[in-house]
Amino acid sequence: MDNACSYDTVGEGWHRQPSISPEQIESLKDANAALVSGFVCLARIREPLGLVGGYWGMDPEIILQVSAGSPRTALRGILAMSDYLAKLQGSPELSEETSRQISLFIERANIWVRINNI
């Protein structure tokens, strides 16, 4: 199982956290499946994205933006989720599978935002 790390944006570096849970990985896989097409409506991706935010310990404001915000607010929340996961991606503690799921999420989320940015 992975050992998760979080990156302190203040500049103190990586901090060790408990292992990555199966729920964290499954939430990423479910979100990646929901984002497989950039033409999926926002209503269909809100729940999987909200679960990613919850399982990965994201700021509640980001989760609220994605799960209940206006379309414009949800786009900002999706980008914030991508940024959050991108910071974790550089951790040497993540397994190859976890890194792959994070990369896939970032790619698909950014495509979805580009297509749906009205």
Side-chain angles (χ1 to χ4, degrees):
M1 200 176 266
D2 287 328
N3 290 322
C5 289
S6 65
Y7 191 76
D8 181 357
T9 56
V10 177
E12 295 185 20
W14 293 102
H15 298 282
R16 191 176 212 86
Q17 290 183 350
S19 297
I20 300 276
S21 71
E23 291 83 7
Q24 286 175 291
I25 301 302
E26 280 305 308
S27 69
L28 276 176
K29 288 179 180 179
D30 291 345
N32 287 336
L35 291 167
V36 75
S37 168
F39 298 102
V40 175
C41 72
L42 179 59
R44 292 191 52 148
I45 64 171
R46 284 187 188 271
E47 182 179 354
L49 292 176
L51 291 173
V52 167
Y55 284 124
W56 285 86
M58 293 181 190
D59 185 303
E61 182 63 30
I62 293 171
I63 299 168
L64 186 60
Q65 288 175 343
V66 170
S67 61
S70 69
R72 175 84 45 208
T73 302
L75 290 173
R76 285 193 303 271
I78 293 169
L79 290 174
M81 292 179 109
S82 291
D83 290 344
Y84 179 93
L85 290 171
K87 290 175 184 164
L88 294 178
Q89 196 171 24
S91 170
E93 303 293 327
L94 296 177
S95 73
E96 186 177 316
E97 171 66 12
T98 302
S99 291
R100 189 174 73 72
Q101 289 299 323
I102 288 173
S103 293
L104 192 58
F105 178 88
I106 293 167
E107 177 185 337
R108 289 182 177 176
N110 286 317
I111 289 170
W112 193 91
V113 167
R114 268 197 318 270
I115 289 172
N116 292 282
N117 193 7
I118 302 169

